[in-house]
Structure formats: structure tokens, C-alpha cells
Amino acid sequence: MMKSLLFIPLVFVLVLIACDYKEIEPNMSEKVEDFEFITQDNEKLSLKDLAGEWWIANFMYTNCTQVCPTMIPNMSSVQNKLQDLNLNAKIVSFSVDPNYDTPPVLREYVEEYGVDLSTWTFLTDYEFSDIKRLSENSFKTSLDKGSSGETEFAHSTGFFLVDPHGKVIKRYDGMATQDIKLIIEDLKKVL
């Protein structure tokens, strides 16, 4: 009898979660691979540390001259709007150039853009093959190095919404103002 009583609230919670996802029209359903990387402050951050949190992921690198100079301010805009609305979501930026983007380099980059690190973390300290695998397997997006000697990388411009269970449920265009507004609207529905 006691087990049945415990089962009812669990079913109710699962129904509510499913409704939230349906309400925001997910366009993905991928489990994020387990990871443990180093932050801009030389601290470890793992997928387990993000358990129970809604978070937004993106891929970037500090020497990027093409899309990151638009994406990072757009993500900063998302962060500011979330804070204004008192919505608690984390932001995680994965560097696609871990050999160059050491914690001190990321820290300088953060300061240059005036990033608020209370909810935003930049990650590094892995092999390129590791971040390529994470990008392709968990976020279903390609990642390629430029030819030898080049410092450019072909990476996603997507912002990815990850649920509290570590599942990527939606991709947004990190370059599009309309999608930036949509992230906020979607997070209002689930937070």
C-alpha cells in the first residue's frame, strides 16, 4: 500500500515534466555524455555537478573571429534577461580549442566580455578529440579543425537547452535574435 502511495506523486511529477517539455516544443532528445573538465578558475566541473539544473550549452573559442564575437554577447544577453526575471539557469561554454584556451586565457576572455560567472562557466582541459566526440554525440553537431597552421575551427552556433536530467532537449540559433527571445520564453515555462 505504501509503495502505491509513493508511486502516485512520482507519476504526477513525471507528467508535469512531460507537459513542460511539450509546451516548449523540444527539437532534440540526446543524453549528454558524462564529462569532468576544468573551468576558467581552474576548478573541476562535471555533468554530475549540473544534475538537477536547467542549463544552456554552447561551443566557442577565444581566438574565434567569425561567430563567437556575436554568440558570446548574445549569450550574455540571455544571462542578463534570466537574471532580470529571477530565473535560475546555468550556462556552460565548451572551448573547442583546449590547447590554447587554458584557464588563464579563458579568465582574460571572461573579463574582456564582462561575463557574470555566478551562473556562467567556461570549460577546457581536454583533448580536441574529447570535445569533438561530445559535440557530435551529445549535441549532434559537427566540429572540425582548420587545416594545419590555421587557428579557425568550424563549430556549432547553437545554444542547447539541457534539462535537469542531463538531456539535450532543444537547439536554438545562437546568432538569431528571435531564438534568443525564444530561449527566455522556454525557460520561463520550465523554471
Side-chain angles (χ1 to χ4, degrees), residues 65-187:
T65 60
Q66 302 297 317
V67 295
C68 295
T70 299
M71 288 174 51
I72 297 302
N74 284 351
M75 187 67 85
S76 185
S77 174
V78 168
Q79 183 184 45
N80 291 337
K81 287 176 183 165
L82 289 173
Q83 288 173 338
D84 289 347
L85 295 167
N86 210 22
L87 297 175
N88 187 21
K90 304 286 184 199
I91 300 170
V92 178
S93 292
F94 296 93
S95 171
V96 299
D97 189 4
N99 290 332
Y100 181 80
D101 287 342
T102 61
V105 169
L106 288 174
R107 188 64 181 183
E108 185 177 316
Y109 186 75
V110 161
E111 290 170 9
E112 178 184 328
Y113 276 95
V115 169
D116 179 353
L117 294 174
S118 65
T119 57
W120 193 347
T121 304
F122 289 75
L123 295 177
T124 190
D125 198 41
Y126 34 79
E127 296 298 320
F128 178 79
S129 59
D130 296 330
I131 196 62
K132 182 175 175 67
R133 185 179 62 251
L134 184 71
S135 175
E136 291 175 350
N137 294 344
S138 298
F139 296 92
K140 298 301 177 195
T141 186
S142 63
L143 171 59
D144 293 304
K145 285 183 180 182
S147 60
S148 67
E150 289 184 26
T151 58
E152 295 292 326
F153 292 80
H155 65 90
S156 170
T157 60
F159 290 174
F160 300 88
L161 184 59
V162 182
D163 76 7
H165 307 289
K167 186 175 174 184
V168 183
I169 62 165
K170 194 161 185 179
R171 178 187 175 143
Y172 307 84
D173 183 348
M175 303 288 285
T177 305
Q178 179 180 339
D179 275 21
I180 302 309
K181 291 176 184 174
L182 184 57
I183 293 171
I184 302 302
E185 292 306 312
D186 285 349
L187 282 167

